[in-house]
């Protein structure tokens, strides 16, 4: 236990979550457009102000306005509950409020620490523009190169949060309002006390709070999404409860706030809600398409893997179009929106070649001229053609990763991914967990019903000789509305299948599958799909019975999450970072394991030569040279590799030499694929852990880390 002693008083003012808005419209077959002759009432002075005026401007009846108000209120409630749930889980796991600044930074391991370091750079710079210039001309991350990290690492979230933090502390400081409360923490066990701060004035606290607020709003959108898709607020309740009951399979934001998905995924939920609105609406407005483009952009900018998700979306929409559920004009409008968004993102990412050479970009071009299977072939061909012409190889590891899933192919970089559990195939326990909460059975039933009706439509279409289902939309308004409603369900089913394929191949991507399964579960409340059960009361009775059964395992899952109680502590790494601060020059260059390098850069500001962001071809080759320390090569060869990179200190970790997640996945075994001539020899790291001489000099060591001094390179090695 730790003792908490108040150091200074003054709490920061409470923050309030802004309410999110989304396009909730009438069910299929009904119109929001006011009848002729009623427009003048909008400008009547009696109704021009207050809620009544807003209701008339939206064209809503009093009952519709009341229903919308209840929906927004429930959405706000679910958003608050999710924010509170995330906050409590994070605090319970790490006791974050009691950690010192250094401990908070160490808690952001691997990629998280790298991303957070740029936020720290901007807020500690003399001005915001100075900080922005520093991250766009970074000299610390890949010494001795100068790189634009905003281009390379999708750092717009850190730029935005840093600007907000500077504005917030500046305004509060101007008015003399305290923004944080600091304490002296007695850690016991003979350790020195540390200072710990809470409140929005603390940089780490502000950063994490913003991430959790964003994901709280995501749940609000999630509720509205489920309500809109199913046509019932009960559908929104089903969606959110399924998410909570399967929370550990749906997100990891409570454990890893700074990861890119924490910022990007909420905007994907918004984008898919807007897309559903567009699919359901006969003639979507330009405003709706602009909103779709903006949400698309907000999803793509924070995360380099967004392009793969959007590729599955385009493929699902194209399949819906081929089946006749999506009109050509609407398909073209959506594609144009995607293309414009991709172009804007390319500009804002300073010409990042991965965007133009992606399968996503190739699919958007191919889809204009190809149909069916020819689209798949042309997409792959165009992607590799563009990669060759532009000389881009940053995403070559993705092709290798996909290839390794279907063949026996493997190389160093592929094994660096597939040996990590999150990039392996989905584990068998995951569908078992879906089964226990009834999420899998419900989705199978929903998709089976949609597939059955789709097959019936296709057979009917072929039998009666109709050209496409979508063309009936122009002939008859009621039939068109029915086709549009079926079309959105077909799209969501195809999207579910695409997400399932991604999750099966790469377990980490189940963060897309599980939430979408929760969305699809809302359709058990759909009268269109489950009206055969009987009247609404009978259907709701069945839904509540299903909910009761789901809650049995769901509440067990939640209680298991709430029971996680821990306290972050990493004394060996704290000793290492303190030693670096006190015993090395500010420009001393370090190399080592990727997660540790992120912490070194974040907490000491020392230059590093490799880091955890593995999506760059040059960085992958640098890391391969650094990791030769864990191969069976000679000490002289490894020393020369490090000297060429300009490394002054190498941080050796014995665990990286011996750790083996499964057969063939220890670092020496991974190196055996690349270096077969040395197979059978004792790994160099084993020799170095016993005696670092004659190639290196040990200057620091504890139970986990050993710092090796690397000789300076001669001119002929540079």
């Amino acid at each position: 236990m730790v003792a908490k002693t108040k150091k200074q008083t003054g709490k920061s003012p409470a923050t309030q979550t802004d309410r999110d808005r989304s396009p909730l419209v009438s069910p299929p077959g009904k119109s929001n457009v006011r009848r002729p002759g009623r427009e003048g009432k909008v400008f009547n002075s009696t109704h021009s102000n207050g809620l009544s005026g807003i209701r008339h401007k939206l064209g809503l009846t009093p009952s519709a306005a009341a229903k919308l108000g209840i929906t927004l209120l429930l959405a706000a409630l679910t958003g608050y509950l999710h924010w509170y749930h995330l906050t409590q889980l994070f605090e319970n796991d790490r006791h974050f409020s009691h950690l010192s600044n250094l401990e908070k930074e160490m808690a952001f391991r691997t990629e998280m620490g790298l991303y957070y370091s740029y936020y720290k750079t901007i807020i500690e710079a003399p001005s915001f523009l100075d900080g922005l210039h520093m991250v766009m001309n970074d000299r610390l991350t890949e010494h001795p190169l100068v790189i634009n990290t905003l281009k390379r690492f999708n750092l717009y979230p850190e730029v935005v949060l840093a600007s907000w933090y500077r504005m917030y502390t500046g305004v509060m400081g101007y008015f003399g309002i305290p923004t944080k409360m600091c304490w002296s923490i007695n850690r016991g066990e003979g350790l020195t006390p540390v200072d710990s701060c809470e409140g929005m004035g603390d940089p780490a606290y502000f950063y994490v709070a913003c991430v959790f607020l964003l994901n709280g709003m995501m749940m609000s959108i999630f509720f509205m999404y489920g309500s809109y898709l199913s046509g019932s607020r009960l559908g929104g309740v089903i969606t959110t409860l399924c998410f909570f009951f399967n929370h550990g399979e749906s997100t990891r934001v409570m454990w890893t706030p700074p990861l890119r998905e924490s910022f990007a995924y909420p905007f994907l939920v918004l984008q898919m809600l807007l897309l559903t609105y567009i699919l359901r609406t006969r003639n979507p407005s330009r405003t709706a398409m602009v909103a779709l483009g903006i949400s698309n952009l907000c999803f793509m900018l924070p995360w380099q893997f967004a392009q793969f998700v959007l590729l599955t979306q385009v493929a699902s929409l194209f399949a819906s179009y081929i089946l006749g559920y999506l009109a050509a004009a609407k398909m073209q409008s959506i594609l144009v929106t995607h293309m414009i968004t991709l172009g804007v993102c390319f500009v804002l990412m300073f010409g990042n070649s991965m965007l133009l050479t992606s399968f996503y970009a190739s699919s958007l071009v191919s889809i204009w001229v190809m149909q069916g299977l020819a689209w798949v072939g042309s997409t792959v061909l165009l992607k590799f053609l563009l990669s060759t012409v532009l000389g881009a190889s940053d995403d070559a590891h993705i092709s290798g990763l996909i290839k390794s899933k279907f063949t026996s192919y493997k190389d160093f970089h592929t094994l660096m991914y597939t040996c990590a559990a999150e990039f392996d195939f989905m584990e068998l326990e995951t569908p078992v967990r879906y089964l226990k909460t009834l999420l899998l059975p419900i989705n199978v039933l929903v998709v089976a019903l949609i597939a059955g009706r789709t097959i019936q439509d296709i057979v009917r279409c072929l039998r009666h000789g109709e050209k496409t289902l979508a063309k009936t939309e122009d002939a008859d308004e009621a039939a068109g509305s029915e086709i549009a409603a079926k079309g959105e369900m077909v799209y969501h089913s195809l999207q579910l299948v695409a997400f399932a394929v991604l999750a099966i191949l790469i377990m980490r991507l189940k963060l897309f599958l599980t939430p979408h399964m929760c969305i699809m579960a809302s359709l058990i409340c759909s009268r269109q799909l489950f009206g055969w059960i009987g009247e609404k009361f009978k259907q709701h009775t069945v839904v509540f019975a299903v909910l009761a059964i789901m809650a049995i395992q769901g509440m067990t899952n939640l209680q298991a999450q709430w029971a996680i109680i821990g306290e972050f502590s990493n004394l060996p790494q704290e000793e290492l970072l303190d030693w670096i601060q006190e015993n090395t020059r500010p420009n001393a260059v370090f190399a080592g394991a990727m997660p540790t390098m992120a912490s070194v850069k974040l907490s000491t500001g020392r230059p590093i030569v490799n880091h955890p962001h593995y999506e760059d071809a040059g960085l992958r080759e640098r890391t391969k040279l650094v990791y030769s320390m864990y191969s069976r090569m000679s000490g002289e060869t490894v020393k020369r590799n490090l000297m060429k990179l300009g490394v002054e200190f190498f941080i050796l970790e014995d665990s990286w030499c011996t750790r083996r997640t499964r057969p063939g996945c220890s670092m020496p075994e991974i190196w055996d694929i690349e270096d077969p001539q040395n197979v059978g020899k004792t790994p160099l790291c084993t020799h170095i852990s016993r005696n670092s001489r004659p190639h290196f000099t040990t200057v620091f060591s504890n139970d986990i880390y050993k710092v090796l001094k690397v000789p300076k390179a001669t001119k002929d090695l540079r």
Side-chain angles (χ1 to χ4, degrees):
M1 294 296 291
V2 297
K4 193 173 185 180
T5 309
K6 187 172 180 181
K7 190 173 181 183
Q8 67 183 57
T9 59
K11 281 201 179 261
S12 60
T15 59
Q16 185 175 356
T17 307
D18 295 325
R19 293 183 177 178
D20 239 39
R21 298 183 178 183
S22 69
L24 292 171
V25 299
S26 301
K30 297 186 180 180
S31 174
N32 278 338
V33 181
R34 290 188 296 275
R35 296 177 184 174
R38 296 187 62 182
E39 288 85 347
K41 292 186 179 182
V42 176
F43 301 97
N44 189 304
S45 60
T46 308
H47 303 293
S48 60
N49 298 314
L51 295 176
S52 180
I54 296 173
R55 174 174 61 80
H56 277 266
K57 287 180 181 179
L58 292 174
L60 299 174
T61 63
S63 61
K67 289 178 180 178
L68 178 61
I70 294 172
T71 301
L72 293 177
L73 184 63
L74 289 173
L77 177 61
T78 56
Y80 169 79
L81 290 175
H82 193 229
W83 165 81
Y84 182 79
H85 183 63
L86 295 175
T87 303
Q88 290 303 114
L89 288 179
F90 184 73
E91 173 63 21
N92 290 346
D93 179 53
R94 305 188 186 183
H95 214 183
F96 200 69
S97 61
H98 284 61
L99 301 182
S100 67
N101 287 336
L102 177 58
E103 288 173 321
K104 288 176 181 176
E105 291 177 356
M106 289 192 299
F108 296 141
R109 296 192 68 256
T110 190
E111 288 177 75
M112 297 186 287
L114 183 69
Y115 299 135
Y116 183 83
S117 70
Y118 301 109
Y119 165 79
K120 180 182 177 182
T121 296
I122 298 175
I123 64 174
E124 291 183 349
S127 69
F128 172 75
L129 291 179
D130 287 336
L132 188 60
H133 180 269
M134 291 169 69
V135 299
M136 291 176 66
N137 298 272
D138 180 88
R139 298 174 180 273
L140 301 179
T141 308
E142 293 182 10
H143 178 84
L145 304 179
V146 178
I147 62 173
N148 182 350
T149 58
L150 188 56
K151 172 184 177 180
R152 282 275 300 278
F153 305 145
N154 301 78
L155 294 178
Y156 276 97
E158 280 66 32
V159 172
V160 172
L161 290 185
S163 66
W164 289 356
Y165 177 82
R166 293 185 72 109
M167 287 189 289
Y168 172 75
T169 53
V171 171
M172 294 296 105
Y174 178 80
F175 289 105
I177 302 174
T179 58
K180 60 184 177 182
M181 182 183 294
C182 294
W183 314 83
S184 179
I185 305 295
N186 179 12
R187 299 188 290 175
E189 300 179 6
L191 301 174
T192 57
V194 295
D195 293 339
S196 177
C197 296
E198 293 180 78
M200 296 296 281
D202 179 69
Y205 190 99
F206 182 93
Y207 185 98
V208 170
C210 287
V211 174
F212 291 156
L213 284 171
L214 175 62
N215 282 268
M217 288 190 287
M218 182 275 292
M219 186 56 70
S220 296
I221 301 172
F222 214 60
F223 173 85
M224 291 187 282
Y225 191 176
S227 300
Y228 183 65
L229 182 64
S230 64
S232 167
R233 282 189 296 275
L234 183 57
V237 173
I238 291 285
T239 296
T240 52
L241 285 178
C242 283
F243 193 97
F244 275 103
F245 290 161
N246 298 274
H247 200 267
E249 308 296 322
S250 301
T251 182
R252 53 178 185 170
V253 64
M254 59 284 191
W255 316 130
T256 57
L259 288 186
R260 302 301 81 188
E261 65 211 43
S262 303
F263 295 99
Y265 185 73
F267 292 103
L268 176 63
V269 177
L270 176 61
Q271 190 259 15
M272 293 183 69
L273 171 57
L274 290 166
L275 180 61
T276 305
Y277 167 76
I278 289 168
L279 293 177
R280 183 177 295 185
T281 307
R282 286 177 55 81
N283 297 302
S285 65
R286 182 175 296 179
T287 303
M289 302 307 295
V290 170
L292 178 69
I294 293 174
S295 59
N296 234 4
L297 184 64
C298 292
F299 174 52
M300 291 180 70
L301 280 178
W303 200 18
Q304 67 273 18
F305 287 127
Q307 52 179 293
F308 297 102
V309 178
L310 294 177
L311 171 65
T312 67
Q313 184 177 97
V314 170
S316 301
L317 288 169
F318 185 56
S320 300
Y321 165 71
I322 293 294
L323 291 172
Y325 286 101
L326 186 56
K330 189 178 289 185
M331 182 69 188
Q332 289 175 356
S333 297
I334 295 172
L335 286 176
V336 168
T337 303
H338 274 273
M339 287 179 173
I340 293 173
T341 301
L342 180 62
V344 173
C345 189
F346 179 73
V347 172
L348 292 177
M349 291 299 293
F350 304 92
N352 191 319
S353 61
M354 278 188 68
L355 292 171
L356 290 189
T357 59
S358 64
F359 286 105
Y360 169 55
S362 300
S363 70
L364 292 176
V365 176
S366 302
I367 209 168
W368 283 97
V369 292
M370 298 292 179
Q371 288 198 1
L373 292 177
W375 167 72
V376 178
S378 62
T379 296
V380 175
L381 181 63
L382 184 58
K383 181 261 184 293
F384 287 110
L385 182 63
L386 285 171
S387 297
T388 303
V389 171
L390 297 176
S393 58
D394 290 342
D395 61 350
H397 63 300
I398 300 297
S399 301
L401 180 59
I402 296 172
K403 186 178 177 181
S404 72
K405 296 293 182 178
F406 300 101
T407 68
S408 59
Y409 173 81
K410 53 187 175 181
D411 60 21
F412 181 87
H413 303 302
T414 299
L415 288 171
M416 288 295 289
Y417 277 101
T418 56
C419 283
E422 59 267 30
F423 286 96
D424 200 359
F425 289 101
M426 179 188 286
E427 57 186 0
L428 182 61
E429 289 79 4
T430 298
V432 171
R433 287 192 282 265
Y434 292 154
L435 195 63
K436 289 180 178 179
T437 58
L438 296 189
L439 190 60
L440 182 58
I442 290 173
N443 272 262
V444 169
L445 176 61
V446 167
V447 172
L449 286 173
I450 295 173
R453 295 191 177 189
T454 302
I455 293 171
Q456 289 177 358
D457 287 341
I458 294 172
V459 171
R460 189 183 306 116
C461 176
L462 294 173
R463 186 173 296 168
H464 294 287
E466 296 173 5
K467 291 184 179 179
T468 63
L469 292 169
K471 286 192 175 180
T472 62
E473 190 173 345
D474 301 322
D476 181 77
E477 184 174 349
S481 297
E482 183 181 355
I483 291 297
K486 287 182 179 178
E488 71 187 54
M489 290 189 182
V490 170
Y491 157 71
H492 279 86
S493 298
L494 292 170
Q495 186 68 76
L496 179 68
V497 172
F499 283 159
V501 171
L502 289 179
I504 290 170
L505 292 177
I506 301 175
M507 188 179 69
R508 177 181 179 180
L509 298 183
K510 69 181 178 181
L511 73 94
F512 296 113
L513 172 63
T514 313
H516 198 69
M517 291 175 73
C518 298
I519 287 291
M520 293 295 286
S522 71
L523 290 174
I524 65 172
C525 301
S526 169
R527 294 294 298 165
Q528 180 187 2
L529 204 58
F530 284 88
W532 51 269
I533 291 178
E535 59 205 28
K536 186 178 289 188
F537 175 76
K538 186 179 292 185
Q539 183 180 0
H540 285 181
T541 302
V542 173
V543 170
F544 280 114
V546 171
L547 265 180
I549 299 173
M550 291 172 65
I552 296 173
Q553 182 62 41
M555 288 306 300
T556 301
N557 293 344
L558 284 173
Q559 288 169 356
Q561 279 194 322
W562 295 333
I564 297 174
I565 303 294
E567 183 168 0
F568 178 84
S569 179
N570 191 342
L571 291 176
Q573 189 175 90
E574 187 175 340
E575 292 175 357
L576 169 69
L577 297 175
D578 285 340
W579 181 87
I580 292 174
Q581 285 278 39
E582 296 170 4
N583 296 278
T584 64
R585 295 174 290 105
N587 60 348
V589 183
F590 283 79
M594 292 184 284
T596 305
M597 289 302 97
S599 295
V600 169
K601 181 191 178 300
L602 168 61
S603 299
T604 70
R606 300 302 193 265
I608 57 177
V609 299
N610 64 311
H611 53 77
H613 199 276
Y614 212 57
E615 279 70 50
D616 177 76
L619 186 277
R620 290 197 293 273
E621 292 309 311
R622 282 169 158 256
T623 300
K624 190 174 177 181
L625 287 176
V626 170
Y627 279 24
S628 62
M629 178 67 76
Y630 300 103
S631 71
R632 306 179 197 274
M633 297 179 186
S634 67
E636 184 64 28
T637 302
V638 174
K639 182 179 72 172
R640 285 177 174 269
N641 288 342
L642 297 176
M643 290 167 69
K644 287 178 183 178
L645 292 172
V647 175
E648 297 180 53
F649 296 96
F650 184 95
I651 300 177
L652 179 69
E653 301 174 53
D654 287 340
S655 61
W656 280 75
C657 197
T658 58
R659 184 173 55 194
R660 192 187 195 209
T661 55
R662 66 171 187 270
C665 278
S666 68
M667 282 305 305
E669 289 173 319
I670 291 175
W671 262 108
D672 288 344
I673 302 296
E674 297 286 327
D675 186 32
Q677 63 267 29
N678 287 315
V679 172
K681 295 181 181 179
T682 303
L684 176 63
C685 50
T686 302
H687 290 302
I688 297 295
S689 64
R690 296 171 186 159
N691 183 8
S692 59
R693 294 186 178 277
H695 305 292
F696 307 99
T697 304
T698 302
V699 291
F700 170 85
S701 66
N702 60 22
D703 293 340
I704 304 296
Y705 303 99
K706 178 177 287 189
V707 179
L708 308 176
K709 186 170 179 56
V710 181
K712 288 187 178 181
T714 57
K715 290 184 179 180
D716 61 317
L717 282 175
R718 291 176 183 172

